[in-house]
Amino acid sequence: MSAIAMFTAADASSIYLITDGAYYDADGRVRASKSKVTKSDRLRMAVAVTGNVDSGTVARHLASAETQREALQRVPSITSNLHAANAYLWPHDDDAWHLHLMLFVATWSEDRGAEGWVCASGRDWLGDDYVPGSLAGVSELSSPPISDGAWLPRDPDEGARRVLTGQRRCIDVFNGQCCVGGFGELTTVDGDGARTVRLLEWPDRIGERISLQSDVA
């Protein structure tokens, strides 16, 4: 599990991605702390990842796309290829949680405004009607789920802090660990491009499991 959420402004003027920065191994130990978002001002697009995938890998796949449409068309094959790579690394794990991944895509265009998309290797958080590996349009989605009222449309920075704080308290059902950590970021995509700000930092250590007891009140 990672903290990831997407919210679209009611007037479609902007779209927001909320992410943490903890990459962890199959035992729930933090192996790196870095951004899970890749951005393109040229394409007015940002992609957030969750699962055993580096955002830099996604960035390399999208770098040569000439248009936003072309980049979006590549997302299903990127998801499929990354899932296959994970399966190659863990050939005997089949449906193990660390094989799966999701790509959250935020875009803005002159004719359609802000739009959100998700592509995942499985149905977790997306429901039985979702077809794994397909690109689905979404306006709002959170993994793990958040409480009603956590997101504040009129104050995205504070809303993102509330969302991240709530997600950090969630325990991963697959490994019994808290897997939201490192730091928290808010990425905004609108007519001006894509930009990210860091809003929270937690005292998590590389090589150790995340412990909520280390949080500063």
Side-chain angles (χ1 to χ4, degrees):
M1 184 198 304
S2 296
I4 190 164
M6 173 188 289
F7 299 96
T8 307
D11 61 359
S13 61
S14 56
I15 184 167
Y16 306 95
L17 291 171
I18 302 169
T19 52
D20 74 327
Y23 287 79
Y24 51 91
D25 61 22
D27 293 324
R29 298 182 187 278
V30 179
R31 59 181 176 83
S33 183
K34 56 185 177 180
S35 181
K36 298 178 181 178
V37 179
T38 182
K39 306 184 295 294
S40 172
D41 283 330
R42 176 176 62 87
L43 298 175
R44 289 193 177 96
M45 181 178 187
V47 182
V49 300
T50 179
N52 188 54
V53 53
D54 192 301
S55 61
T57 303
V58 177
R60 288 190 291 275
H61 281 289
L62 296 177
S64 61
E66 295 185 1
T67 66
Q68 186 185 100
R69 180 182 179 84
E70 180 184 350
L72 281 171
Q73 290 173 337
R74 293 184 183 184
V75 171
S77 63
I78 293 172
T79 303
S80 176
N81 290 340
L82 291 171
H83 182 247
N86 286 348
Y88 179 80
L89 291 174
W90 294 285
H92 305 296
D93 286 2
D94 296 328
D95 290 326
W97 63 271
H98 51 275
L99 300 185
H100 295 294
L101 62 134
M102 289 195 294
L103 272 62
F104 283 51
V105 186
T107 63
W108 188 93
S109 62
E110 293 282 357
D111 53 337
R112 297 185 304 276
E115 293 181 302
W117 312 85
V118 64
C119 188
S121 61
R123 292 188 172 91
D124 292 341
W125 310 115
L126 301 178
D128 293 339
D129 292 335
Y130 175 73
V131 178
S134 65
L135 188 65
V138 294
S139 60
E140 181 175 320
L141 187 63
S142 176
S143 169
I146 59 173
S147 60
D148 293 340
W151 172 243
L152 301 174
R154 295 183 179 180
D155 189 347
D157 285 10
E158 181 57 25
R161 291 187 186 94
R162 288 160 55 114
V163 168
L164 287 161
T165 300
Q167 289 178 321
R168 183 167 166 87
R169 297 192 183 106
C170 293
I171 300 301
D172 196 309
V173 296
F174 294 106
N175 62 11
Q177 301 291 325
C178 170
C179 294
V180 172
F183 54 83
E185 293 184 325
L186 173 66
T187 298
T188 304
V189 180
D190 55 23
D192 294 326
R195 55 199 178 276
T196 298
V197 294
R198 185 172 297 189
L199 299 174
L200 292 171
E201 294 200 39
W202 296 292
D204 305 313
R205 296 181 179 180
I206 304 298
E208 297 181 5
R209 292 187 177 93
I210 295 171
S211 172
L212 298 184
Q213 294 180 352
S214 65
D215 285 7
V216 178

